[in-house]
Amino acid sequence: MTTVAAVDCGTNSIRLLILRRTEGGAVEEVCREVRLARLGQGVDATGAFHVDALARAFAICEEFAGIIDGANADRVRFVATSAARDVSNREVFFEGVRRRLGAEPDVITGDEEARLSAAGVRHGVDAPQPVLVIDIGGGSTELVLVAADDVQTAISLNMGAVRVHERFLHHDPPTDNEEQAARAFIGGMLDSSGIHFGKVHTAVGVAGTVTSVAARTLGLKEYSRDAVHGLVLRRDQVRCANAHWMTTPVVRIESEPCMHPLRAGVIGAGSLILDEISARVPGGEITVSETDILDGIAYDLLS
């Protein structure tokens, strides 16, 4: 019997997945946890992790260490993505993670992030190919085109919910000019990405922005992975959610069901990215997946 623990540390959230392979070969999910750390707070402007963001991240690592120890995990992998690639004080963060989790932080490339995201989606979604996997994070957005079960194109774009919010959306709620500037930036990044959106048969979205749109569309009072997984978001539903968050003060968004306060401030920017992608894929539909890079990391550990 083998037990593995995967930690995905993104710009906005830190997540834990523990899987166990039984002696019979079956894979069991021991636990799945997500915490909002907003590690990317101010990184785009300062190039360094903020002291408050580090404190939040370290508290989460301490909590996860207790869960991992309790599960008697044989292997642990801590994967850090966009926020940790270029910061000037990342060694402070790495040392804090080592002390609390006993694992060496692994800062993966954008290509590796894209590959793991696609692998995670394939574990949970059976969709007609070519499939475009969309992973909107806090600092970056990964686009992965999968055909014939192989990754055809994978790219990491330096635009994410936190980055777009801090760079363009300075008012609460944002002004029309701010929104248009953000859309122009996002559209330019997408159109120069090398992804041929017209060839996409199925677009699959993962991570917090997409699942938040799904939860709002369904009118959930409490979040349900089973309810959102596999949901197909229509173009008008994506646009409706985006229009709401772009015209609503953050203090009101914070009080909405299924909305974490640390996500409320950047959900407008995240949904702008999703809206611009929806406008480019045939039919404008986005299938929601609850399996993503975290699952990809964990299954890689098992194999």
Side-chain angles (χ1 to χ4, degrees), residues 21-27:
R21 190 187 299 280
T22 67
E23 294 179 357
V27 176

Side-chain angles (χ1 to χ4, degrees), residues 112-175:
E112 175 70 356
E113 186 175 354
R115 183 191 69 80
L116 289 169
S117 292
V121 167
R122 289 202 296 273
H123 277 290
V125 175
D126 184 12
Q129 298 183 16
V131 171
L132 178 66
V133 178
I134 305 153
D135 185 350
I136 301 171
S140 64
T141 294
E142 278 60 56
L143 300 175
V144 188
L145 189 64
V146 178
D149 291 324
D150 286 327
V151 173
Q152 304 295 312
T153 307
I155 189 164
S156 179
L157 302 175
N158 281 326
M159 63 171 189
V162 176
R163 197 181 298 271
V164 169
H165 171 79
E166 292 185 350
R167 189 173 296 184
F168 295 102
L169 308 181
H170 306 301
H171 289 82
D172 181 21
T175 65

Side-chain angles (χ1 to χ4, degrees), residues 148-219:
D149 291 324
D150 286 327
V151 173
Q152 304 295 312
T153 307
I155 189 164
S156 179
L157 302 175
N158 281 326
M159 63 171 189
V162 176
R163 197 181 298 271
V164 169
H165 171 79
E166 292 185 350
R167 189 173 296 184
F168 295 102
L169 308 181
H170 306 301
H171 289 82
D172 181 21
T175 65
D176 289 344
N177 286 341
E178 289 173 347
E179 177 178 343
Q180 292 309 310
R183 283 189 182 276
F185 170 74
I186 295 165
M189 294 286 280
L190 293 174
D191 292 339
S192 62
S193 67
I195 297 291
H196 297 289
F197 292 97
K199 295 182 178 181
V200 173
H201 192 293
T202 310
V204 179
V206 302
T209 289
V210 177
T211 56
S212 294
V213 173
R216 176 170 179 79
T217 299
L218 292 171

Side-chain angles (χ1 to χ4, degrees), residues 5-7 16 18 61 63-73 75-76 101:
V7 181
L16 168 68
I18 299 178
C61 287
E63 179 190 0
F64 283 180
I67 297 172
I68 291 168
D69 287 345
N72 295 314
R75 291 193 290 274
V76 181
L101 285 175

Side-chain angles (χ1 to χ4, degrees), residues 26-37:
V27 176
E28 300 175 343
E29 183 174 307
V30 178
C31 81
R32 186 185 294 262
E33 303 288 343
V34 58
R35 302 289 184 269
L36 272 291

